[in-house]
């Protein structure tokens, strides 16, 4: 899971040069206020050479400069709004530097679900990697972890595992929203082309597949038996009604998970609503209620309105190997590229 997150979210590892510089500077300044020379020297040589002209520009976007005094040298301090881009799961951090950054984030009013915001674009050569987000296997993996978390299984009590699964789900939902928006844009272009007499291709087929798969995973119940209880149901159980309405601002594992679950429940509803508005989903689906899916099918007089979603559930269960890995989650978690700042 950590490797997937590094590849799909961490723009320090997989990003354009300017995006890499921005995220590196932000993550370092999250640990402590730092001077200009120290920040520049900490950048990799290739980025110092390629991004030299706009390092100062990026610093102005992210931070406020505190002028030197007799007691201290001049340093940059993160702006309040920059904390929205802070990633506590960055591959830069060791456990110690992560703890330091989280303490400062809490003082700045950081909300855990901010880390689930959509990341910047990948370089064109790496963009095809995102197609893994619309696969049934990944939805089933996330769903399985959430089932164990909701049931308080001791096997899945790891903070990193729980938050990594929620982070992957956020990437899946953001990706699905993009697919819906692109499909709507293609449909508008096709309509315009038909009126002008020209022909254009349609991407509604792949888009409908991706959106239907997401809906099957989110709604669960009779729509996609392989998923069992829908992901929205699991999120609601973990977040609780009060948290789902207002979110949680305190720190700590339970509150972090609750806050993220409340955010994802809302995002999941937005995906379903957008899919229906774009004509990619039937309009009578009812998330959060497994029984309502069965009732909707019965009300259709034996014609299951959610039938298109069933074809995107895996035909056979995915068999998980019995051997358990005892190694560290990912080699990336032990790398500290900012040791010079500690």
């Amino acid at each position: 899971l950590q490797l997937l997150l590094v590849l799909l979210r961490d723009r320090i590892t997989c990003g354009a040069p300017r995006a890499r510089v921005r995220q590196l500077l932000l993550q370092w300044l999250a640990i402590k206020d730092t001077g200009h020379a120290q920040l520049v020297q900490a950048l990799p040589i290739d980025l110092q050479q390629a991004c030299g002209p706009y390092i100062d520009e990026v610093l102005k976007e992210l931070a406020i400069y505190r002028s030197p005094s007799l007691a201290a040298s001049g340093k940059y301090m993160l702006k309040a709004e920059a904390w929205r881009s802070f990633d506590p799961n960055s591959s830069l951090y060791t456990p110690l530097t992560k703890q330091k950054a989280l303490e400062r984030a809490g003082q700045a009013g950081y909300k855990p679900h901010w880390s689930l915001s959509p990341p910047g674009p990948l370089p064109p050569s790496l963009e095809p990697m995102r197609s893994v987000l619309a696969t049934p296997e990944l939805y089933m993996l996330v769903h399985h972890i959430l089932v164990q978390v909701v049931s308080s299984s001791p096997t899945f009590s790891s903070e990193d595992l729980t938050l990594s699964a929620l982070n992957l789900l956020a990437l899946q939902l953001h990706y699905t929203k993009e697919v819906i928006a692109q499909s709507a844009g293609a449909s508008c272009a096709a309509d315009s082309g038909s009126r002008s007499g020209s022909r254009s291709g349609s991407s509604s087929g792949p888009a409908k597949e991706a959106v239907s798969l997401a809906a099957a995973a989110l709604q669960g119940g009779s729509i996609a038996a392989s998923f069992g209880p829908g992901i929205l149901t699991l999120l609601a159980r973990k977040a609780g009604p009060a948290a789902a309405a207002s979110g949680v601002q305190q720190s700590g594992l339970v509150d972090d998970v609750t806050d993220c679950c409340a955010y994802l429940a809302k995002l999941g509803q937005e995906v379903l609503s957008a899919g229906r508005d774009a004509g990619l989903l039937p309009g009578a689906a009812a998330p959060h209620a497994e029984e309502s899916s069965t009732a909707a099918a019965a009300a259709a007089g034996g014609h299951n309105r959610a039938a298109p979603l069933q074809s995107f559930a895996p035909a056979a269960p995915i068999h998980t190997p019995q051997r358990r890995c005892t190694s560290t989650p990912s080699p990336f978690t032990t790398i500290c590229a900012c040791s010079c700042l500690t």
Side-chain angles (χ1 to χ4, degrees), residues 224-248:
S226 297
F227 286 109
I231 287 177
L232 285 179
T233 300
L234 298 174
L235 293 173
R237 290 176 185 173
K238 192 63 182 175
S246 60
V248 180

Side-chain angles (χ1 to χ4, degrees), residues 8 44 48 51 91 182 206 262 278 288 294 310 327 336:
L8 295 170
Q48 291 184 34
C51 306
S91 59
Q182 292 169 1
H288 278 303
T294 306
Q310 293 177 334
S327 61
C336 179

Side-chain angles (χ1 to χ4, degrees), residues 256-282:
D256 284 2
V257 171
T258 300
D259 183 63
C260 290
C261 285
Y263 169 81
L264 290 172
K266 180 180 178 182
L267 182 60
Q269 297 284 7
E270 291 175 358
V271 168
L272 294 176
S273 178
R276 296 186 193 107
D277 292 343
L280 299 174
L281 291 175

Side-chain angles (χ1 to χ4, degrees), residues 44-56:
I45 297 297
D46 65 318
L47 290 182
Q48 291 184 34
Q49 296 173 347
C51 306
Y54 48 76
I55 290 177
D56 289 344

